[in-house]
Amino acid sequence: HLYSGQYHKGLEILKECEEVFVKNNTLDHFERIFILNNIGFGLMYLGELDKAITYFQMSFELAKIHEGKNFSSTSIALT
């Protein structure tokens, strides 16, 4: 929705993703890294750079702990 110009709908979905992410403790670390990066990209696209960087940093820290090299390099490049 963000890329199609439907920013309002995209923002709603992004907020829902954040809520689900915070409440869901059953995700494995790779799923959490992937979701953190996606939320970060969405926020970056919407111009919420400080908040996006926070999500990229969380993703990077989790990737370092679990040796997710592909994920950590993406997070480093974006912060």
Side-chain angles (χ1 to χ4, degrees):
H1 291 285
L2 294 176
Y3 298 112
S4 67
Q6 298 177 5
Y7 301 110
H8 181 67
K9 184 65 175 174
L11 186 56
E12 286 177 23
I13 293 170
L14 190 57
K15 287 180 181 180
E16 287 176 30
C17 289
E18 287 180 288
E19 291 173 13
V20 168
F21 177 78
V22 169
K23 293 177 184 177
N24 191 335
N25 293 324
T26 63
L27 299 170
D28 70 30
H29 54 272
F30 288 111
E31 290 170 321
R32 294 181 72 75
I33 292 166
F34 184 75
I35 291 168
L36 285 165
N37 267 331
N38 283 337
I39 292 172
F41 278 116
L43 291 167
M44 184 176 70
Y45 189 79
L46 290 171
E48 295 187 37
L49 299 181
D50 290 337
K51 198 169 180 183
I53 288 171
T54 299
Y55 277 92
F56 290 137
Q57 288 172 331
M58 288 190 292
S59 172
F60 174 66
E61 292 303 319
L62 195 56
K64 281 194 319 187
I65 292 168
H66 297 287
E67 298 183 10
K69 292 176 180 44
N70 289 337
F71 290 113
S72 61
S73 62
T74 300
S75 299
I76 289 172
L78 294 167
T79 56

